[in-house]
Amino acid sequence: MEPDFSAISYIAYTFLNKTIRPLEVLKSNAGWYIGCKSENGDPIARDSVSYYPSLYQARAVLTACSWTQRRTP
């Protein structure tokens, strides 16, 4: 049985040895995105196809599960 990928990173789970990391809103030079961090706090995966112009918008789509999840890194 696969985990609930609306709550954890599909990219981390699939491509990083079944690593289970919670999804959260992160910031990069390109904008805000949905992804996950390592245990050290370093970003390790971008799960969202899109970048968002604001923290508010990224949090809203994550909460509403209205974003598109990438299937490859």
Side-chain angles (χ1 to χ4, degrees):
M1 176 186 239
E2 287 192 340
D4 177 7
F5 293 117
S6 67
I8 70 161
S9 172
Y10 175 86
I11 299 294
Y13 184 82
T14 305
F15 296 98
L16 298 175
N17 215 17
K18 303 218 184 273
T19 301
I20 295 178
R21 303 300 306 160
L23 290 170
E24 56 189 291
V25 174
L26 303 171
K27 174 88 166 119
S28 75
N29 290 337
W32 298 91
Y33 65 96
I34 298 165
C36 68
K37 295 180 185 176
S38 69
E39 291 176 1
N40 298 333
D42 298 321
I44 58 170
R46 177 173 62 91
D47 283 74
S48 61
V49 169
S50 301
Y51 288 95
Y52 302 93
S54 72
L55 174 61
Y56 173 79
Q57 286 178 318
R59 282 184 179 163
V61 297
L62 178 59
T63 300
C65 294
S66 62
W67 57 283
T68 304
Q69 194 166 47
R70 293 170 13 137
R71 293 296 180 190
T72 58

